[in-house]
Amino acid sequence: PFGSYDQTDLVRWLGHWKPDVPRGARYTYSNVGIGLLGWLLGRRAGSGYAALLKERVLQPLGIADAVHVAVPAGTKATLAAGHDEAGAPAPPIDFGVLAPAGSLVASAAAIARYAQAALGLLDERPLEAAFLLAMRPHAEGPEKGTQVGLAWLVVPLFDRLVYRHEGDTPGYSSALVLHPARRRGAFVLA
C-alpha cells in the first residue's frame, strides 16, 4: 500500500495534517510517525534512511550484510513465505518513503545479535548508550502499568519489566521481547 507513496506525497500530506488530540493526551503508535522520523533523520544526515541505518546501527553491531531496508534483488526465494488469512501467498510489501516503519529484512542471526546488544550481552557493547536511551520509559503506555520507550513498549511481567516491539504487514507478523533482568530475549515470526 505504500510503494507508490513518495516524499512528495509525504510532504504534501504533512502540509495539511492536523492532530486530532492534544500532544500527550493519549498513546498511539503511528507507522506514519515512525516512517516520517526515519525519513527526516536520513534527510538531516544527507544520506537517506538506509545509509544512515547501515552506518550508525548495522555496522557497529556487525550485521550490515544481514539486514536490508527492502528485499534485496534475487533473494525473495530465500525469505520465509508470508500468507494471508485464506492461506494464499502474500509477498513482502514495498514501504517506499515510509520504509523505516517496517521494511527491514533480516536474518535470524542478525536479530539475535541485535537482541544481545540491546541486553548488553556482547563483550564490545556497541551502541550501549543508544539502547539505554531507547529502552528508558519516556511516557505512559496504552494500558495501565505500561510505558513507552523509543519504539519499545515497556510492560510489567510478574515483578519485572519486559520490552517489546511487534510488527505486522500483510502476510507477516513478528515480535521481539527482551527481558533485561533475566538477560533473555525471544523473537517470534508468524
Side-chain angles (χ1 to χ4, degrees), residues 48-97:
Y49 170 72
L52 181 64
L53 179 70
K54 185 174 185 174
E55 174 191 335
R56 302 272 181 96
V57 179
L58 304 178
Q59 287 175 338
L61 293 177
I63 56 175
D65 294 334
V67 180
H68 306 280
V69 173
V71 179
T75 62
K76 286 187 181 182
T78 64
L79 295 178
H83 295 84
D84 65 17
E85 293 88 12
I93 64 170
D94 178 1
F95 275 79
V97 72

Side-chain angles (χ1 to χ4, degrees), residues 57-58 61-68 78 105-118 121-122 124 131 176 178 185-189:
V57 179
L58 304 178
L61 293 177
I63 56 175
D65 294 334
V67 180
H68 306 280
T78 64
V105 178
S107 69
I111 295 165
R113 182 152 175 93
Y114 178 89
Q116 290 169 333
L121 299 176
L122 301 177
E124 64 275 12
F131 279 117
L176 177 60
L178 303 177
F187 182 65
V188 180
L189 295 173

Side-chain angles (χ1 to χ4, degrees), residues 10-11 21 23 27 50-51 56 71 74 96 99 105 109 111 113 123 127 130 135 141 150 152 155 159 163 173-174 176:
L10 182 59
V11 170
V21 296
R23 181 179 176 193
Y27 166 85
R56 302 272 181 96
V71 179
V105 178
I111 295 165
R113 182 152 175 93
D123 291 336
L127 306 178
M135 295 172 78
L150 301 179
W152 287 101
V155 182
D159 62 341
Y163 299 76
S173 184
S174 63
L176 177 60

Side-chain angles (χ1 to χ4, degrees), residues 21 44 117 119:
V21 296
R44 174 92 163 101
L119 291 167

Side-chain angles (χ1 to χ4, degrees), residues 2 29-32 34-36 38 49 68-71 92-106 165-170 172 174:
F2 305 114
Y29 182 83
S30 170
N31 278 332
V32 173
I34 295 292
L36 174 62
Y49 170 72
H68 306 280
V69 173
V71 179
I93 64 170
D94 178 1
F95 275 79
V97 72
L98 297 176
S103 67
L104 292 184
V105 178
H165 190 94
E166 296 93 11
D168 292 297
T169 60
Y172 297 87
S174 63

